[in-house]
Amino acid sequence: MAEDDIPTTGAVRDKLIRTKERWAEEGRLLTGTHGDPERDRLPPGQTLVKDWPVLDLGVQPDVSHAKFRLRVEGLVENRVALDWDGFMALPQSEMVVDIHCVTQWSRYDNRFAGVKTADLLALARPKPEARFVSMTSYDGYTTNLTLADFAADDVMLVHAWEGRPLERQHGGPVRLVLPKLYFWKSPKWITRIELLAEDRPGFWEVRGYHNRGDPWMEERYG
């Protein structure tokens, strides 16, 4: 998942990937029910936690503020390339949201600070034919979204959680947070955003996971 680090080599990495692929093949955790986000705060099959679980293999990109770069390119009128100071100079916002991981945990009332994707897109100016987004992280992880989901008002590129800089283990210095979809759709350590006319499934989407990932529809697997 995006909550999992994806190292480039190693038997442990391969074992984790195969395990997650097997979950998709077996339909692990599926309850066969649907929820209503207007009525049900906890999506089907989820368990509420108080901590913020970290699922990784011990390899987490070390991206300092000095190294950080964020690019927005593809079908845009204005290609954007930001260093840390440039990113922090964009309009800053806060939100309090629940988050839901496909590995079955949910956590309520997370306070994030960062840049709304809508504000970033206003700078990049998507071309009319742009309909999808492909995102790439510093560890090589990729995932995809519709432009509509990416641009929603409650979606942010966050750099702080609970009033503190976002920790490396949770995707710092900057990660996406898209609260209405499973958290593998919110990549850690984000560095590249590409707008596309056609969809481009990412790392887990080509390995059996759902192309959208709505927790209330229980879209765990494709």
Side-chain angles (χ1 to χ4, degrees), residues 19-87:
T19 296
K20 297 294 178 61
E21 288 175 326
R22 193 158 51 245
W23 287 8
E25 293 164 3
E26 297 170 354
R28 186 179 182 269
L29 305 177
L30 289 176
T31 68
T33 62
H34 291 170
D36 180 354
E38 300 297 322
R39 178 196 66 212
D40 306 316
R41 190 172 185 183
L42 192 67
Q46 294 295 104
T47 299
L48 188 62
V49 300
K50 297 296 185 183
D51 59 347
W52 185 354
V54 177
L55 307 176
D56 63 52
L57 299 176
V59 177
Q60 301 168 348
D62 184 8
V63 185
S64 66
H65 290 174
K67 294 178 182 177
F68 175 77
R69 297 293 185 274
L70 178 66
R71 293 177 291 152
V72 184
E73 50 198 24
L75 295 176
V76 295
E77 299 290 348
N78 180 39
R79 294 180 65 176
V80 176
L82 299 169
D83 59 12
W84 182 255
D85 289 342
F87 177 74

Side-chain angles (χ1 to χ4, degrees), residues 122-200:
L123 181 63
R125 303 199 309 274
K127 293 183 177 181
E129 59 268 33
R131 296 176 54 239
F132 298 94
V133 176
S134 175
M135 296 169 289
T136 304
S137 300
Y138 271 95
D139 62 347
Y141 178 83
T142 59
T143 193
N144 59 311
L145 293 168
T146 64
L147 180 56
D149 279 336
F150 179 80
D153 190 58
D154 61 349
V155 184
M156 286 174 51
L157 294 161
V158 307
H159 57 74
W161 175 67
E162 302 302 331
R164 299 182 299 274
L166 187 67
E167 295 179 0
R168 176 181 172 186
Q169 64 182 349
H170 292 307
V174 175
R175 72 171 298 156
L176 189 77
V177 170
L178 196 168
K180 68 184 176 186
L181 299 182
Y182 285 122
F183 224 37
W184 91 80
K185 289 291 191 175
S186 295
K188 297 178 175 181
W189 311 298
I190 192 166
T191 186
R192 183 171 182 258
I193 298 164
E194 183 181 5
L195 274 63
L196 306 166
E198 303 295 332
D199 198 11
R200 182 191 297 160

